[in-house]
Amino acid sequence: MRSISILGATGSIGASTLDLIRRNRGEWRVVALTANCQARELARLAREFDAELAVVGDESCLGELREALAGSGIEAAGGREALCEAAGRPADLTVAAIVGCAGLGPTMRAIEQGGTIALANKEALVSAGDVMTAAVAHHGATLLPVDSEHNAIFQCLQGNKRSDVSRITLTASGGPLRLWSLDELARATPAQAVAHPNWDMGAKISVDSATMMNKGLELIEAHHLFPVGLDRLRILVHPQSVVHSMVEYRDGSTLAQLGPSDMRVPIASCLAWPERMDTPCLPLDLAGIGELTFFAPDEVRFPATRLAREAAEEGGSAPAVLNAANEVAVAAFLAGQIAFTQISAIVAQTLNRDRPPAPACLEDVMSVDAEARALTAEMLEPA
Ligand code: NDP
């Protein structure tokens, strides 16, 4: 029996992970499950999976969690530090699936334990790239990529030499607004932006997918996970989301990983790694799909990938600023405060300001993040 902790258990990745655990109940012991404020749902999951510990990030929800867990014998805790303590509890596998930079502290604590981390929380790696990869090396931790593209690349790299890679291609569905004009994009509503054609995901990543910032964040994520050089990473729009990414080698061979648009496939690859496990996903029906198409990204209508590439090229604090500005702008869009096209415009404006020096440790990353959030929030205030 292996042990597992899931940070962000009440989210979309959390639900897909728990679905797989539920189908293989005898193989896993659940250590910690966390959420932010969905205390009742967290308590329900903690009871179902007989977790040792349940933690809410928002301390004001701890009373509700305690009440919902009364008599179960499951420990309850709340607050930022409690999330980090939960992440630091020994577990064979930690699934890092908190959304946003809020997941950075807990993910770093799991890395410091030197264990295996299935990383979905891309914002943490984008913000703290060098600091996080240095911690992974220092503590002998293993990062398994959950993101379908990075999981695909990880699989395509197995058994090959990194030095033989000539190019890595990240595929992008292009999101629900892929064919919209700039004028139409300016009027896109949150409901339209989160209505992803292929994937069922949380609200923040769905908006990122619509702006293509998701692919920009993934480019930075790939740069850290697979350091072959930024010039060897490219993005290709592939609306069917069947080819999840590709690795091209110097002899002209391209290896791709294909699969259904169901996050349980890459999650299962992490849960079973280095083995394989069954999933309930339907086999890929390529004859039914019929056609796979590929297009170059349009960075005029969707400038986010350009902004992310420039931030990655600059390095230092730029990726953390990009991520923080994007998180604030996406939240403002979802709250109906700004137009869809303003998301990337605000990120660009924030990046145009003076930047703090490159972060050298976790605290530095947190302070770059906080400063960029404050700056972006200021820009959103009516003049
Ligand atoms: P969701 O919004 O569905 O879930 C987010 C989870 O994080 C919830 O458990 C939520 O708790 C918790 N959470 C939110 N804010 C905080 C906070 N401030 N402190 C502690 N916990 C918090 O997100 P997704 O599952 O869609 O995405 C999770 C991560 O995985 C993101 O980084 C995303 O980019 C990445 N990812 C997601 C994919 C997908 O298909 N969904 C695909 C690839 C990557 P609560 O429910 O209480 O709010």
Side-chain angles (χ1 to χ4, degrees):
M1 200 185 241
R2 294 168 69 209
S3 56
I4 188 167
S5 287
I6 304 172
L7 315 175
T10 49
S12 160
I13 294 289
S16 294
T17 308
L18 287 168
D19 180 70
L20 293 170
I21 301 286
R22 189 179 285 118
R23 292 166 195 272
N24 299 278
R25 201 59 198 91
E27 293 172 23
W28 294 94
R29 180 172 64 81
V30 176
V31 179
L33 296 180
T34 80
N36 190 37
C37 52
Q38 285 203 69
R40 293 212 167 265
E41 176 59 8
L42 179 66
R44 189 188 68 72
L45 294 171
R47 282 179 184 272
E48 179 189 347
F49 289 92
D50 201 14
E52 286 172 20
L53 168 69
V55 182
V56 277
D58 182 340
E59 213 165 348
S60 69
C61 304
L62 179 56
E64 193 185 349
L65 179 66
R66 283 211 172 105
E67 194 183 301
L69 285 174
S72 67
I74 299 167
E75 281 175 69
R80 305 281 113 212
E81 186 45 36
L83 282 178
C84 292
E85 278 169 20
R89 289 229 177 158
D92 295 320
L93 183 68
T94 303
V95 179
I98 291 175
V99 62
C101 203
L104 176 55
T107 303
M108 285 293 281
R109 192 67 69 85
I111 290 170
E112 285 160 13
Q113 300 308 306
T116 303
I117 293 104
L119 184 76
N121 182 204
K122 64 188 83 181
E123 297 90 348
L125 184 57
V126 167
S127 297
D130 294 336
V131 170
M132 190 183 280
T133 48
V136 167
H138 180 74
H139 296 283
T142 303
L143 277 191
L144 299 176
V146 169
D147 227 335
S148 58
E149 295 76 2
H150 305 76
N151 189 269
I153 296 163
F154 183 78
Q155 294 194 43
C156 294
L157 285 169
Q158 297 303 304
N160 288 285
K161 285 197 198 121
R162 205 56 67 85
S163 56
D164 285 336
V165 172
S166 55
R167 189 161 59 169
I168 292 179
T169 301
L170 291 154
T171 54
S173 69
L177 314 179
R178 180 174 67 89
L179 300 173
W180 289 33
S181 68
L182 263 177
D183 283 348
E184 288 167 329
L185 288 173
R187 290 192 297 273
T189 64
Q192 290 167 325
V194 300
H196 199 283
N198 308 337
W199 298 96
D200 182 11
M201 310 183 284
K204 193 265 176 180
I205 184 175
S206 297
V207 175
D208 284 345
S209 191
T211 59
M212 291 284 285
M213 182 57 90
N214 183 46
K215 215 47 56 180
L217 299 177
E218 288 179 3
L219 185 87
I220 302 175
E221 190 184 3
H223 173 53
H224 291 294
L225 289 172
F226 316 111
V228 295
L230 271 170
D231 55 330
R232 290 178 190 223
L233 299 178
R234 74 157 175 180
I235 294 168
L236 200 57
V237 176
H238 167 46
Q240 296 82 12
S241 299
V242 169
V243 176
H244 294 304
S245 276
M246 307 177 230
V247 179
E248 199 174 318
Y249 289 94
R250 65 192 175 108
D251 61 2
S253 299
T254 297
L255 302 190
Q257 187 261 356
L258 284 68
S261 309
D262 188 324
M263 284 308 294
R264 289 176 298 181
V265 176
I267 293 169
S269 147
C270 295
L271 291 181
W273 182 84
E275 309 288 333
R276 298 271 179 187
M277 65 184 274
D278 292 336
T279 69
C281 305
L282 291 176
L284 199 55
D285 175 13
L286 285 176
I289 294 164
E291 203 177 44
L292 300 181
T293 52
F294 300 91
F295 306 94
D298 176 350
E299 293 191 336
V300 175
R301 285 180 305 131
F302 301 102
T305 49
R306 177 179 53 76
L307 296 174
R309 195 178 338 99
E310 288 169 0
E313 280 162 2
E314 182 187 321
S317 59
V321 171
L322 169 104
N323 179 67
N326 182 59
E327 284 192 34
V328 174
V330 169
F333 168 69
L334 286 170
Q337 288 166 17
I338 61 169
F340 179 79
T341 40
Q342 277 180 282
I343 301 173
S344 293
I346 282 165
V347 173
Q349 273 177 47
T350 311
L351 281 165
N352 277 337
R353 298 290 190 89
D354 288 342
R355 247 186 286 304
C361 60
L362 177 61
E363 289 67 34
D364 290 354
V365 180
M366 302 293 234
S367 92
V368 171
D369 177 75
E371 207 177 294
R373 275 168 202 275
L375 189 63
T376 313
E378 232 171 71
M379 286 178 193
L380 292 173
E381 276 166 21

